[in-house]
Amino acid sequence: MKNERVIILCVTPANTDITTSDSLYLAREVDKEGNRTLGVLTKIDIVDRGTDIKKVLTGEELPLKLGYHGIVNRSKLDMQNKVSITDALNNEKMFFADHPIYSTMDQSLFSTTALITKLRSLFYNLLQKNVPDIAIEIQGQVSEIQEKL
């Protein structure tokens, strides 16, 4: 996590107090400004009735430059009933589309599929930014080894 070239994927259950999250605490120790940390909130579907995590998702509680993303995990019952991954992903999308609060928010903040898209973009940008420096470092190491040989 200390490596400046990595994205910190900070996974935390949404049904707990986000301000006391161990993963966010550890991420903050190495990424004080939250520049490289993406918060992933799981189990949104089992958050207590009458509460929501809108303030967390919008960065009002603990801001992160990469933001937060909400997902719904497959339940144990889904797995026992052999609900396919495709059906589970569709159920997840429907949960957010039908939710009284989350349906009014930017849908790119929700679902496993949208998270994959976001991670793909983040990693691509990270690679584009860092590959030239990494190539220079590797060339330097190759030169050092060749001198030793």
Side-chain angles (χ1 to χ4, degrees):
M1 285 177 31
K2 291 179 183 178
N3 185 333
E4 293 293 323
R5 292 182 178 147
V6 301
I7 294 169
I8 301 168
L9 193 61
C10 196
V11 181
T12 304
N15 62 340
T16 61
D17 182 3
I18 193 80
T19 59
T20 61
S21 165
D22 289 339
S23 60
L24 280 170
Y25 175 78
L26 291 171
R28 286 272 187 207
E29 283 187 349
V30 295
D31 183 26
K32 295 187 185 336
E33 303 296 316
N35 294 322
R36 318 181 276 119
T37 304
L38 173 64
V40 178
L41 304 171
T42 65
K43 303 179 183 180
I44 291 180
D45 56 323
I46 60 172
V47 171
D48 291 339
R49 290 184 190 261
T51 58
D52 63 77
I53 55 164
K54 185 175 181 176
K55 286 185 178 182
V56 176
L57 285 164
T58 57
E60 292 177 44
E61 281 192 36
L62 291 171
L64 296 173
K65 298 252 177 20
L66 298 181
Y68 290 87
H69 198 89
I71 64 171
V72 171
N73 302 78
R74 284 196 320 170
S75 69
K76 187 174 183 178
L77 184 60
D78 287 343
M79 288 185 256
Q80 287 172 344
N81 291 336
K82 296 185 173 39
V83 173
S84 72
I85 292 175
T86 302
D87 288 343
L89 292 173
N90 288 333
N91 293 341
E92 178 188 41
K93 281 187 181 182
M94 292 301 298
F95 171 81
F96 291 117
D98 294 341
H99 193 278
I101 294 171
Y102 305 135
S103 64
T104 65
M105 297 174 66
D106 178 2
Q107 291 302 291
S108 70
L109 297 174
F110 303 105
S111 85
T112 302
T113 305
L115 176 60
I116 291 167
T117 301
K118 184 170 192 160
L119 286 171
R120 185 181 302 128
S121 174
L122 288 171
F123 285 127
Y124 177 79
N125 292 337
L126 188 68
L127 280 173
Q128 252 188 333
K129 178 182 170 191
N130 290 305
V131 164
D133 292 337
I134 293 169
I136 290 168
E137 286 176 24
I138 290 171
Q139 188 56 45
Q141 291 173 355
V142 167
S143 295
E144 284 178 28
I145 291 171
Q146 284 176 339
E147 284 177 26
K148 287 180 183 178
L149 290 174

